[in-house]
Amino acid sequence: MLDSLLSLGGLVLLRDSVEWEGRSLLKALVKKSALCGEQVHILGCEVSEEEFREGFDSDINNRLVYHDFFRDPLNWSKTEEALPGGPLGALRAICKRTDPGPVTIALDSLSWLLLHLPCTTLCQALHAVSHQDSCPGDSSPVGKVSVLGLLHEELHGPGPVGALSSLAQTEVTLGGTKGQASAHILCRRPRQRPTDQTQWFSILPDFSLDLQEGPSVESQPCSDPHIPPVDPTTHLTFNLHLSKKEREARDSLILPFQFSSEK
């Protein structure tokens, strides 16, 4: 399911932590989207463009449209290439595009946006972009829109995290064990019951996604052979077995619903 997240569309929330970072998975999904021929827009706020593009080959980098809000997020330098309205202005501009093909928007990161914008404003913008069916003021249909949002949930309280969670069609919570990364995927679809599963994976140096099986049973910790097993019947206040006399009394008992010649 992890390799088919982009086919579902809508807001995909990537929830990472200090122990299990999510930017590598974000870049892996961006690469997969670019290889599928989709338009890919990156709203880079947290790391430089050079750092984000590092590891991609020239073919992938040429397919990415990068909106740099890292160097000058408030456009103090008044450059002409800067979009008015900052990151949300870039989102609206992407929404008003005329190309009807599918598009993927990667937000690196939602945490940066939450720290610089009101939560309600950000949620309204995300809802408008990820749920649109046609461009405002345009009769031409717009293709599938996938929004990949990287969220460092340890930086935020339950309120903002819960608000973004309620907007997301898909939530990916990163974790792992014994050095192997896992993604718990929760999918919500209209008129369908939510589905969830855990996918084990690794990210290759070229940011390809390598799906794997979970840890084997042999890797689980086993019991100490020097500790004697505990008898669960040790402290019971009743006897689990009948004596010979009690068994004979039970067998000779005539039940009310049992027919016999003695009745």
Side-chain angles (χ1 to χ4, degrees), residues 6-258:
L6 297 174
S7 63
L8 303 175
L11 175 60
V12 180
L13 198 61
L14 305 179
R15 303 170 62 163
D16 73 353
S17 62
V18 173
E19 185 177 4
W20 300 99
E21 62 88 19
R23 182 167 289 110
S24 295
L25 178 58
L26 176 68
K27 294 176 68 170
L29 295 175
V30 162
K31 176 180 179 178
K32 186 173 183 62
S33 181
L35 290 175
C36 290
E38 298 186 9
Q39 303 175 60
V40 183
H41 293 261
I42 314 298
L43 270 64
C45 306
E46 202 167 85
V47 298
S48 66
E49 180 177 359
E50 294 75 17
E51 181 176 346
F52 188 89
R53 290 182 179 273
E54 185 178 358
F56 291 142
D57 58 33
S58 58
D59 180 54
I60 297 297
N61 276 321
N62 290 335
R63 302 185 188 195
L64 304 183
V65 180
Y66 199 92
H67 306 273
D68 190 356
F69 296 100
F70 175 77
R71 291 182 303 171
D72 187 11
L74 301 179
N75 194 26
W76 285 350
S77 58
K78 304 297 182 183
T79 56
E80 294 182 358
E81 64 269 15
L83 290 170
L88 295 188
L91 280 175
R92 298 186 186 101
I94 297 169
C95 173
K96 295 177 181 178
R97 74 194 191 283
T98 57
D99 191 335
V103 62
T104 295
I105 306 170
L107 306 178
D108 185 15
S109 67
L110 272 176
S111 289
W112 189 96
L113 296 174
L114 269 179
L115 295 174
H116 292 80
L117 297 169
C119 182
T120 53
T121 303
L122 177 60
C123 289
Q124 289 169 358
L126 291 174
H127 182 273
V129 173
S130 60
H131 289 78
Q132 62 174 340
D133 293 322
S134 61
C135 291
D138 191 355
S139 58
S140 62
V142 171
K144 171 182 61 69
V145 177
S146 299
V147 181
L148 300 172
L150 178 60
L151 182 69
H152 313 310
E153 60 177 319
E154 294 170 329
L155 299 180
H156 312 286
V161 173
L164 291 172
S165 176
S166 65
L167 286 176
Q169 283 73 46
T170 306
E171 287 187 70
V172 181
T173 303
L174 298 179
T177 182
K178 299 183 181 298
Q180 188 172 4
S182 68
H184 180 263
I185 306 169
L186 174 64
C187 293
R188 306 183 187 93
R189 289 296 174 265
R191 298 177 298 277
Q192 296 182 19
R193 296 184 62 181
T195 60
D196 69 301
Q197 75 171 60
T198 298
Q199 176 74 68
W200 299 86
F201 70 96
S202 65
I203 306 296
L204 302 181
D206 65 346
F207 293 102
S208 297
L209 195 58
D210 181 25
L211 302 182
Q212 302 173 342
E213 296 183 357
S216 60
V217 177
E218 289 77 13
S219 65
Q220 301 298 324
C222 58
S223 58
D224 191 340
H226 301 289
I227 300 177
V230 178
D231 184 1
T233 65
T234 302
H235 301 291
L236 292 179
T237 58
F238 55 90
N239 191 6
L240 291 176
H241 306 285
L242 297 177
S243 64
K244 181 178 180 181
K245 185 178 295 186
E246 290 171 335
R247 191 177 297 107
E248 291 175 352
R250 182 195 63 181
D251 296 340
S252 63
L253 182 66
I254 300 176
L255 301 177
F257 52 83
Q258 184 177 357

